[in-house]
């Protein structure tokens, strides 16, 4: 019996038997899936007319509005029609609505923003722009005036300073140093100046990259890296701005006392400080050139730059930050910052490589008596006459042996 079952299982497992079984199974599945010969009792009747394939696809079909009513434009008041009137003669023609949008007409919107119902600003003419919508006018002022002329001014100043340096070199002392020093800047004065200077450099570099970077950096580093750099500098610019504003106020009141105009400043200006002569024109603690930077750059341009910059940062309360206000603030900020950077470039030059001992004075706070006598003779005379203490810091005044090799 066991032998018989074993032989039977072997025959069932043979390839021929398995193939026959698979064929029969597939034939049964095909017959089961085949449709029945007649419709069921409850099946609906087929449609009498088959719809065109295009109509069955659904969606929006394009149409030329001028083919719908080609004679509608013959109406004398065609160009004055409202959107509702146009819809009666040419359904789907929304030209009146978009004409109002392009003119800056404000529509209705339930959003709380004051400009939510206005897609395109109205027509204006900014200085240097054509009469067009405000967004385009702002773009024309920025791209046709601020960027090209501002960049040219910066390059002119840099080239002029370079030519002056290679032609005249560093202004050096004519006499020998005495080893006796005078305190020119206190610690508070130097701290205020350095904070203001560092924030100014951050703002200047980031502003230059954002305004002019696409012309000299984008072709070199590519769009991706330039995009990340601009994004990082833009955030640094926004955060350094308020700190610059505070430090500028501190600098103004710190150095205000010694920057009031005096009669000696006129002689200094008439001779350009002796820049092209053999000796400098006598001056007090700050000469006329430094006072021009103080009043023109720190006070006047600083007030405009800080005011417009704080407005662009949107930190002024109770002010509507509309597009028009932001555009005007941007134009004012751009012009003032370019002028400030051009003016401060000369100040930075004279405070570093332009004059021997100038950077050391701001770094350590002290200058040699020879330096004081040659560059600020009237200030030196007041110190020798006892009108001004030679060492204003309490610690330095209390020490008879002041730093000599600072």
């Amino acid at each position: 019996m066991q032998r018989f079952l074993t032989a039977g299982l072997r025959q069932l497992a043979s390839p021929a038997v398995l193939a026959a079984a698979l064929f029969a199974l597939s034939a049964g599945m095909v017959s089961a899936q085949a449709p029945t010969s007649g419709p069921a009792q409850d099946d609906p009747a087929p449609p009498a007319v088959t719809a065109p394939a295009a109509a069955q696809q659904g969606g929006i079909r394009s149409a030329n509005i001028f083919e719908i009513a080609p004679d509608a434009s013959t109406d004398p008041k065609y160009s004055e029609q409202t959107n509702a009137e146009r819809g009666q003669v040419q359904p789907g023609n929304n030209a009146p609505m978009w004409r109002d949008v392009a003119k800056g007409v404000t529509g209705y919107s339930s959003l709380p923003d004051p400009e939510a119902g206005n897609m395109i600003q109205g027509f204006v003419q900014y200085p240097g722009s054509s009469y067009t919508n405000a967004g385009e006018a702002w773009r024309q002022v920025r791209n046709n005036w601020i960027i090209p002329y501002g960049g040219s001014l910066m390059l002119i100043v840099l080239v002029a300073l370079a030519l002056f340096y290679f032609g005249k070199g560093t202004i050096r002392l004519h006499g020998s140093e005495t080893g006796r020093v005078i305190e020119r800047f206190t610690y508070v004065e130097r701290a205020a100046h350095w904070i203001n200077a560092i924030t100014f450099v951050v703002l200047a570099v980031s502003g230059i990259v954002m305004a002019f970077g696409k012309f000299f950096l984008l072709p070199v580093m590519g769009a991706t890296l330039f995009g990340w750099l601009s994004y990082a500098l833009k955030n640094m610019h926004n955060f350094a701005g308020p700190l610059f504003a505070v430090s500028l106020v501190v600098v103004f009141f710190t150095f205000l006392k010694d920057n009031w105009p005096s009669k000696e400043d006129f002689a200094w200006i008439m001779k350009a400080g002796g820049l092209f002569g053999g000796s400098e024109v006598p001056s007090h603690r700050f000469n006329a050139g430094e006072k021009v930077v103080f009043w023109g750059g720190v006070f006047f341009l600083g007030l405009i730059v800080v005011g417009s910059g704080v407005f662009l940062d949107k930190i002024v309360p109770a002010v509507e930050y509309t597009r028009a206000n932001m555009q005007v603030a941007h134009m004012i900020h751009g012009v003032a910052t370019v002028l400030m950077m051009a003016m401060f470039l000369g100040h930075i030059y004279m405070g570093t490589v332009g004059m021997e001992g100038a950077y050391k004075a701001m770094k350590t706070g002290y200058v040699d008596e020879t330096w004081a006598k040659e560059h600020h003779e009237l200030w030196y005379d007041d110190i020798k006459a006892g009108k001004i203490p030679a060492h204003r810091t309490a610690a330095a005044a209390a020490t008879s042996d002041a730093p000599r090799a600072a």
Side-chain angles (χ1 to χ4, degrees):
M1 184 64 178
Q2 184 178 3
R3 188 181 304 171
F4 176 78
L5 291 175
T6 301
L9 291 174
R10 287 178 179 177
Q11 290 180 0
L12 289 175
S14 62
V17 175
L18 291 176
L22 290 174
F23 178 78
L25 181 60
S26 61
M29 293 177 63
V30 171
S31 61
Q33 294 178 359
T36 57
S37 57
Q41 186 71 22
D42 297 333
D43 285 351
V49 180
T50 304
Q56 292 178 352
Q57 293 178 358
I60 300 175
R61 300 182 63 187
S62 62
N64 190 335
I65 58 174
F66 295 103
E67 293 178 356
I68 296 175
D71 298 332
S73 59
T74 59
D75 187 341
K77 297 183 178 180
Y78 179 77
S79 60
E80 302 175 3
Q81 291 175 344
T82 64
N83 205 58
E85 293 171 342
R86 184 65 58 84
Q88 295 295 325
V89 296
Q90 285 183 329
N93 188 344
N94 293 325
M97 181 194 70
W98 293 111
R99 187 188 307 116
D100 289 342
V101 170
K103 290 180 180 179
V105 175
T106 301
Y108 170 76
S109 175
S110 60
L111 297 175
D113 187 88
E115 293 186 294
N118 184 274
M119 297 181 66
I120 298 178
Q121 294 173 269
F123 278 50
V124 298
Q125 185 173 12
Y126 292 136
S129 76
S130 59
Y131 183 71
T132 179
N133 65 76
E136 172 62 17
W138 167 80
R139 190 192 71 84
Q140 291 179 5
V141 174
R142 181 186 185 276
N143 293 350
N144 298 339
W145 293 93
I146 298 177
I147 296 299
Y149 289 100
S152 299
L153 177 62
M154 298 291 293
L155 290 176
I156 290 172
V157 172
L158 289 173
V159 171
L161 293 176
L163 292 175
F164 184 83
Y165 176 76
F166 289 109
K168 190 176 182 64
T170 302
I171 300 176
R172 301 191 180 277
L173 295 177
H174 297 92
S176 301
E177 292 187 350
T178 63
R180 298 183 297 273
V181 295
I182 298 174
E183 186 180 25
R184 181 159 176 79
F185 300 111
T186 65
Y187 176 81
V188 174
E189 292 172 339
R190 287 183 289 129
H193 179 274
W194 279 116
I195 293 174
N196 185 254
I198 293 172
T199 52
F200 172 80
V201 171
V202 172
L203 293 172
V205 171
S206 57
I208 289 173
V209 171
M210 288 187 290
F212 310 103
K214 68 177 183 180
F215 302 109
F216 65 93
L217 286 179
L218 180 59
V220 176
M221 61 178 55
T224 302
L225 185 57
F226 178 73
W228 280 104
L229 177 64
S230 301
Y231 179 76
L233 291 177
K234 182 255 184 186
N235 284 281
M236 293 176 63
H237 194 94
N238 291 343
F239 282 101
L243 181 59
F244 173 77
V246 175
S247 64
L248 199 68
V249 173
V250 175
V251 166
F252 176 77
F253 286 104
T254 300
F255 295 102
L256 176 61
K257 178 182 177 182
D258 295 313
N259 274 284
W260 291 109
S262 62
K263 60 182 180 179
E264 292 82 8
D265 295 333
F266 181 76
W268 193 98
I269 293 176
M270 294 302 296
K271 296 182 179 180
L275 197 61
F276 303 100
S279 60
E280 293 189 36
V281 180
S283 63
H284 291 281
R285 186 187 179 197
F286 298 118
N287 57 44
E290 292 170 313
K291 291 179 181 179
V292 168
V293 173
F294 180 83
W295 289 106
V298 176
F299 178 73
F300 179 69
L301 291 176
L303 188 64
I304 298 175
V305 168
V306 169
S308 57
V310 169
F311 185 88
L312 290 172
D313 267 345
K314 295 184 177 182
I315 57 178
V316 180
V319 175
E320 284 191 352
Y321 294 103
T322 61
R323 285 171 291 178
N325 291 340
M326 297 295 283
Q327 288 161 358
V328 173
H330 176 273
M331 291 185 288
I332 295 174
H333 190 74
V335 173
T337 51
V338 168
L339 295 176
M340 174 182 274
M341 287 188 290
M343 181 177 288
F344 281 9
L345 278 175
H347 176 72
I348 294 172
Y349 169 80
M350 294 302 297
T352 53
V353 299
M355 178 180 290
E356 180 184 9
Y359 176 77
K360 182 180 178 182
M362 184 53 67
K363 179 182 178 181
T364 65
Y366 293 92
V367 295
D368 191 85
E369 285 188 356
T370 302
W371 189 95
K373 184 176 182 180
E374 291 189 9
H375 297 307
H376 299 274
E377 185 176 355
L378 298 179
W379 176 59
Y380 173 78
D381 292 341
D382 288 341
I383 291 175
K384 285 301 180 181
K387 297 179 180 179
I388 303 174
H391 303 284
R392 292 176 294 147
T393 301
T399 305
S400 58
D401 187 14
R404 293 179 176 271

